[in-house]
Amino acid sequence: MGNKRVSKLRKALLDQGLDAILITSDINRRYLSGFTGSSGYVLVTGDEAYLLTDFRYMTQAADQSNGLKVVEHASKFLDTVRELLPAGNNVRIGFEQDQVAYSAYTAYAEALKPAELVPVSKAVENLRTYKDEEELAVMRRAGALADDTFRHILNVIKPGMTERDVDLEMEFYMRTHGATSSSFDTIVASGERSSMPHGVASSRVIKGNEFITLDFGALLDGYCSDLTRTIALGSPDPKLKEIYDIVLEAQLHTLANIKPGMTGRECDALARDIITRYGYGEQFGHSTGHGLGMEVHEWPRLSKLSDEIMEPGMVVTVEPGIYLPGLGGVRIEDDVVITESGISLLTHSSKEYTIL
């Protein structure tokens, strides 16, 4: 695993005229090396790939590092980087411009002289955009755990519980079934709070005759799932059922029509055009979806600003919504992998209008 990924990164760095690249992002380090410790760096040169970490992790790194040379770095890790860089005066070393703070940049520049530091954007993220079969197998399991959690919580939710109670029960279920954690702060938005697209669970008490939006996922073996379902308690305002049906129509239409070769903008329009046609375009204020993988927001984006082309192996969410302040809202979300001909679902929870 590690080697194939490192080889692709090495090709990318040679294409950009770089002699080496220093990876400082925790997630990218894990992606390239398999190492799950909390501290370390990956340095890839034209002919070597190193995992640099400190003495606490030497045993773990040796066990996990997929074909990278494990090096215990000096108390200043930059001293070790400098020693491992190719010799010569015109060495160009790439760094992750989206990960490195300005203070770190100045320290790198000083410590690595005379090497030239070159900002690089999304070198590893671009590789992570395409999931291989191993990754997809893990993501299917993460999706299945989200489905199981939803099925579980439907038997638990009742009026009188707080949103936080529901959140805690879901977290406990995910973690007792193999998750490291939830993949982000769980959204449990009930009643008028369901009109907040990011209504993270609060102390609000769930009542009867209202909607609840549950947006959650499991971080399982390094990969995230991200599932949203909106359910009804009792008999809510009929307006809410109306927007539920529209959001579901938009979501199903999008799932039926996404194909490789489409841009993120075209995918977004599949959902947006339907919601707009019903007169709720202004109430759908976020994008239709986003890439998903080791992080809950990755590339590509399904948004009206995105020119990225959908290609087989990309995993994205499809999550249209309508939000009516003071009344409530609806969002329905699944995770899908782009295939040669369309998509394959990673999440399978029922989307029928559910009344508890």
Side-chain angles (χ1 to χ4, degrees):
M1 174 195 94
N3 289 344
K4 200 187 285 179
R5 294 173 183 181
V6 167
S7 305
K8 286 182 181 163
L9 179 61
R10 181 175 286 124
K11 182 184 179 316
L13 79 92
L14 295 173
D15 288 348
Q16 294 187 47
L18 299 172
D19 301 291
I21 187 166
L22 177 65
I23 301 301
T24 48
S25 146
D26 294 353
I27 302 265
N28 290 342
R29 176 186 70 230
R30 177 171 179 171
Y31 177 77
L32 292 169
S33 69
F35 172 60
T36 59
S38 69
S39 175
Y41 310 87
V42 168
L43 178 69
V44 177
T45 64
D47 44 17
E48 287 289 1
Y50 304 99
L51 172 61
L52 281 60
T53 188
D54 63 63
F55 80 99
R56 295 172 299 171
Y57 288 117
M58 293 311 286
T59 306
Q60 180 183 343
D63 286 346
Q64 291 182 325
S65 71
N66 283 299
L68 285 81
K69 274 192 182 166
V70 178
V71 177
E72 183 175 342
H73 63 67
S75 54
K76 286 187 175 157
F77 87 94
L78 289 166
D79 293 345
T80 307
V81 173
R82 192 173 57 242
E83 284 166 28
L84 297 173
L85 282 179
N89 283 332
N90 304 323
V91 173
R92 294 169 45 113
I93 175 169
F95 70 95
E96 297 181 286
Q97 67 175 41
D98 303 312
Q99 300 291 337
V100 174
Y102 184 70
S103 56
Y105 168 75
T106 53
Y108 295 179
E110 186 56 40
L112 300 178
K113 277 180 187 167
E116 180 194 348
L117 284 182
V118 181
V120 174
S121 179
K122 290 169 55 182
V124 180
E125 286 81 353
N126 289 337
L127 303 180
R128 281 172 43 201
T129 302
Y130 303 94
K131 277 51 180 189
D132 61 30
E133 274 312 312
E134 256 176 74
E135 292 178 284
L136 289 173
V138 179
M139 294 196 74
R140 283 190 188 95
R141 287 176 30 237
L145 179 50
D147 287 331
D148 291 346
T149 304
F150 179 63
R151 200 160 41 238
H152 169 73
I153 204 67
L154 288 182
N155 296 317
V156 175
I157 292 179
K158 50 183 187 292
M161 292 176 80
T162 66
E163 294 172 349
R164 295 282 310 273
D165 293 335
V166 173
D167 166 31
L168 192 59
E169 180 63 37
M170 291 165 79
E171 179 85 22
F172 186 76
Y173 185 91
M174 288 189 272
R175 292 181 67 167
T176 48
H177 290 78
T180 305
S181 66
S182 47
S183 43
F184 53 92
D185 288 344
T186 296
I187 292 169
V188 180
S190 60
E192 69 287 344
R193 286 190 82 250
S194 63
S195 71
M196 298 163 58
H198 265 238
V200 172
S202 75
S203 56
R204 182 186 186 278
V205 176
I206 294 164
K207 309 186 183 92
N209 305 327
E210 61 185 26
F211 268 22
I212 305 175
T213 296
L214 303 165
D215 182 349
F216 63 97
L219 175 59
L220 183 69
D221 294 339
Y223 287 81
C224 297
S225 51
D226 185 0
L227 177 71
T228 307
R229 290 292 183 268
T230 302
I231 56 174
L233 279 174
S235 45
D237 189 308
K239 189 92 181 148
L240 290 170
K241 172 70 164 75
E242 180 194 314
I243 64 170
Y244 186 94
D245 291 340
I246 295 167
V247 171
L248 183 56
E249 182 183 332
Q251 205 247 6
L252 292 174
H253 176 76
T254 307
L255 294 175
N257 289 282
I258 290 185
K259 288 184 186 61
M262 292 176 78
T263 63
R265 181 183 289 108
E266 289 169 330
C267 297
D268 179 75
L270 289 171
R272 195 167 302 282
D273 290 352
I274 287 179
I275 289 174
T276 302
R277 197 167 70 233
Y278 281 104
Y280 290 107
E282 295 291 303
Q283 284 73 45
F284 176 26
H286 58 78
S287 60
T288 294
H290 54 83
L292 183 72
M294 297 180 84
E295 290 177 287
V296 82
H297 290 107
E298 296 192 354
W299 306 97
R301 308 285 161 147
L302 276 54
S303 92
K304 39 188 179 186
L305 303 174
S306 167
D307 296 316
E308 296 160 295
I309 306 282
M310 298 303 121
E311 294 179 59
M314 293 178 170
V315 174
V316 296
T317 67
V318 176
E319 50 176 312
I322 296 175
Y323 310 93
L324 306 178
L327 183 62
V330 174
R331 182 167 63 259
I332 301 171
E333 172 185 30
D334 286 299
D335 305 337
V336 307
V337 55
I338 310 285
T339 62
E340 295 299 332
S341 57
I343 57 141
S344 168
L345 284 161
L346 303 179
T347 46
H348 302 279
S349 293
S350 167
K351 289 176 267 202
E352 276 180 46
Y353 184 65
T354 301
I355 303 174
L356 295 186

